[in-house]
Amino acid sequence: MNQPTININNDDWQDVCCDISVQNLDSLDNLNFIADALIQYSQKIDENIEKYDVDLDCCSGPTYSVNVLTPNEDDLEDVFRMFYGHPILESKLVTFTQNLIQWCKANDSVIWQCDETLLAETAAYALCIQDSKYLNLYCEALEESRRVSEAGQFDHIDALIHQHGLCTDIIRLLGKEYSDHGIKNEWEEVIRSDKAMRHTYLDSLARVQMNVLKESDNHDSIIDAVSEASEKFILDETEREEWFVALAEKVRVELRTYLEISEGNPYTITLDDVAFDHNTGEITRYFADYKNIIIPDVLGTTPVTTIGDYAFYDHGLTNVVMPCHVTVIGRKAFADNALINVVIPNSVDVVGYYAFYRNTLTNVTLPDAVTLIDDGAFSTNMLTNITIPHSVTSIGNRAFFENNLKNVLIPSSVISIGSDIFCKDSEEEEMSYSESCLRQSEQDKSSHIFSDEDFGDL
């Protein structure tokens, strides 16, 4: 049986392509091989663009393609869909997509497939069409592409509506994606018939204009920009007038807040800035672009208890004050930001998978309530010291990987500890801590302190 192979080539002056060849897609090993190849390829975009001398100034974005070559000539989107249902493969496809999005943000560009589709959008859509929990990821991929390209994915959005209905995230997406084009009559009728839907849609249109016109301090331009749409969606004059009064107040507060933020004051987020589940108290997505934020204890009348997966991922946050009721900080909830200091509230029990990955943290305060510090939770930061509270029983793989740690206190309460939790690479796997340091008697309640000698030449 032929072994899977990877071949990166350059057939055109602005075309880099990764050909991943496998004999079939029936094997989890083959799918995992593809997933690992995708992550590696997405981590080396700049390296490959430089290697193949792609001129980014001469095109709307590089053609940085992926082909999965099989005897059946399977479509790439169909291959991506096969990852769904396997948690590890799903996670790897999410990482691949996020790497693409991050590159697009950093370079103010988009990444195309050779068939003129958007690579990040294709990957996110393959997950999202099967599970609405990936709507946030899809919205992020599509919104990023819309910043620099007029390419719309109307067929995909249509399919998502038929699959998941006109949920709040999709209505907001429609307001952004179709702000210049209008929406299909069948969607328009459904949105118009429901008060909450039409207000959500019009608020999204207004949000687009506010983001564009903030610096101009032009209230009237924002109102004028949504006037025609409001007449189409709100037929009752009294309701329309009330909506405009509310919008005018939002615009006034938004512009005033923008000026305050410009002066360095923190911004307290509201229900307009996030997707929030009032039943569970979970923030699932952050829409605004404020960098120094306070997450309030309560949104509406519901306590905030969970910071959801990817909720504040890659928003350039420099400071965050968390609510006092939060018990779970989800997967990559604050990853890829610019946070320097973080105080974890006393209520938090779980710091999730890569929750604070790739920030610039120099100080973290962990409360004596946390029981799980999951894989990669604080990896790739600038921590020099960390104290693990006695409540912690489990520390995941690479939890503090790639920091500048000099002194670490691990209590005897920790009964499960992953690999590479501190060291910067696998060659430092033998740094000196042992099971006996971690599994001490309950009567003793002693701890082991790691110092410079434990870390060698980190």
Side-chain angles (χ1 to χ4, degrees):
M1 179 177 176
N2 295 337
Q3 293 297 312
T5 61
I6 301 172
N7 178 44
I8 298 177
N9 57 77
N10 176 226
D11 296 328
D12 186 84
W13 64 278
Q14 62 179 35
D15 183 0
V16 181
C17 186
C18 177
D19 291 332
I20 307 171
S21 301
V22 293
Q23 278 296 100
N24 61 71
L25 298 173
D26 300 329
S27 162
L28 279 178
D29 287 341
N30 282 350
L31 291 176
N32 197 56
F33 177 86
I34 295 169
D36 288 340
L38 291 173
I39 291 177
Q40 184 179 29
Y41 188 54
S42 68
Q43 290 172 337
K44 296 184 176 181
I45 299 174
D46 286 325
E47 180 181 325
N48 287 325
I49 284 175
E50 181 178 357
K51 177 179 179 180
Y52 294 107
D53 197 26
V54 175
D55 188 354
L56 295 180
D57 294 330
C58 295
C59 53
S60 60
T63 302
Y64 195 75
S65 297
V66 173
N67 290 324
V68 176
L69 306 177
T70 66
N72 294 330
E73 299 182 356
D74 295 272
D75 180 75
L76 182 62
E77 183 184 308
D78 292 335
V79 175
F80 287 159
R81 289 194 189 206
M82 292 181 182
F83 290 12
Y84 181 73
H86 304 282
I88 293 176
L89 294 177
E90 283 185 40
S91 176
K92 289 179 178 180
L93 185 55
V94 169
T95 299
F96 167 71
T97 307
Q98 290 172 338
N99 288 345
L100 298 178
I101 293 170
Q102 183 179 1
W103 185 91
C104 291
K105 286 183 176 181
N107 292 274
D108 197 27
S109 184
V110 293
I111 293 175
W112 299 93
Q113 271 282 88
C114 55
D115 60 0
E116 299 185 355
T117 58
L118 296 162
L119 186 53
E121 189 272 345
T122 300
Y125 173 75
L127 291 171
C128 186
I129 192 63
Q130 299 178 95
D131 195 326
S132 61
K133 74 178 182 181
Y134 291 112
L135 272 170
N136 291 347
L137 182 67
Y138 181 77
C139 291
E140 187 174 6
L142 195 55
E143 286 169 17
E144 190 56 36
S145 70
R146 285 277 290 164
R147 289 195 313 111
V148 292
S149 169
E150 287 300 312
Q153 297 297 322
F154 306 139
D155 289 344
H156 279 178
I157 294 174
D158 194 14
L160 289 172
I161 292 173
H162 286 292
Q163 181 72 9
H164 303 303
L166 276 166
C167 60
T168 300
D169 271 344
I170 287 182
I171 293 172
R172 285 194 175 115
L173 178 61
L174 288 173
K176 295 178 180 181
E177 178 71 4
Y178 289 85
S179 57
D180 299 328
H181 304 287
I183 63 175
K184 285 187 175 182
N185 289 336
E186 61 181 293
W187 304 342
E188 186 177 302
E189 289 297 327
V190 174
I191 293 173
R192 185 190 292 124
S193 67
D194 183 278
K195 184 176 181 179
M197 284 187 181
R198 57 182 176 258
H199 284 206
T200 297
Y201 176 72
L202 291 170
D203 286 347
S204 295
L205 290 179
R207 171 66 65 180
V208 171
Q209 298 304 319
M210 277 192 269
N211 288 340
V212 171
L213 298 171
K214 269 178 188 173
E215 296 185 19
S216 70
D217 194 26
N218 191 335
H219 297 224
D220 293 337
S221 295
I222 297 171
I223 302 296
D224 292 344
V226 295
S227 178
E228 182 179 348
S230 69
E231 292 177 3
K232 179 185 293 186
F233 283 90
I234 304 178
L235 301 181
D236 182 82
E237 291 186 10
T238 301
E239 181 190 340
R240 187 164 64 248
E241 183 177 343
E242 291 174 351
W243 181 80
F244 267 117
V245 169
L247 175 62
E249 176 62 14
K250 285 181 182 178
V251 170
R252 185 185 68 78
V253 171
E254 182 91 6
L255 294 176
R256 183 189 66 198
T257 302
Y258 177 76
L259 293 175
E260 292 177 354
I261 298 303
S262 299
E263 296 171 359
N265 297 311
Y267 171 72
T268 301
I269 65 174
T270 70
L271 285 170
D272 290 331
D273 304 310
V274 295
F276 183 63
D277 188 329
H278 289 275
N279 294 320
T280 63
E282 178 178 356
I283 294 176
T284 58
R285 190 170 180 235
Y286 177 54
F287 302 113
D289 54 5
Y290 303 109
K291 312 302 182 188
N292 181 2
I293 63 170
I294 297 171
I295 305 174
D297 296 337
V298 175
L299 283 170
T301 59
T302 306
V304 178
T305 59
T306 302
I307 308 297
D309 295 350
Y310 308 101
F312 293 87
Y313 170 82
D314 196 13
H315 276 84
L317 299 181
T318 57
N319 186 61
V320 61
V321 176
M322 292 191 218
C324 65
H325 303 295
V326 165
T327 58
V328 175
I329 300 173
R331 172 185 290 256
K332 290 194 174 181
F334 294 99
D336 281 298
N337 283 288
L339 298 172
I340 298 173
N341 299 299
V342 167
V343 177
I344 309 294
N346 291 330
S347 53
V348 170
D349 176 54
V350 174
V351 181
Y353 179 91
Y354 285 83
F356 293 93
Y357 168 65
R358 211 153 52 187
N359 279 267
T360 54
L361 291 172
T362 59
N363 184 58
V364 170
T365 302
L366 291 168
D368 199 13
V370 173
T371 60
L372 169 63
I373 301 173
D374 209 342
D375 292 358
F378 297 100
S379 63
T380 315
N381 279 281
M382 301 175 67
L383 297 172
T384 56
N385 294 281
I386 189 75
T387 299
I388 312 297
H390 279 86
S391 56
V392 173
T393 59
S394 179
I395 302 175
N397 298 328
R398 299 192 172 198
F400 300 97
F401 185 80
E402 288 195 339
N403 279 276
N404 300 314
L405 289 164
K406 305 295 183 184
N407 208 0
V408 179
L409 179 65
I410 302 267
S412 58
S413 60
V414 177
I415 58 175
S416 173
I417 194 163
S419 62
D420 290 334
I421 59 169
F422 301 118
C423 57
K424 289 190 175 181
D425 57 58
S426 59
E427 293 178 0
E428 296 176 4
E429 176 73 19
E430 296 181 1
M431 62 184 212
S432 58
Y433 69 88
S434 64
E435 287 281 319
S436 61
C437 296
L438 302 173
R439 300 177 182 272
Q440 300 178 43
S441 70
E442 283 295 315
Q443 294 83 3
D444 187 36
K445 286 293 182 186
S446 58
S447 304
H448 179 67
I449 298 178
F450 291 92
S451 65
D452 286 348
E453 294 181 359
D454 295 305
F455 287 86
D457 298 324
L458 284 186

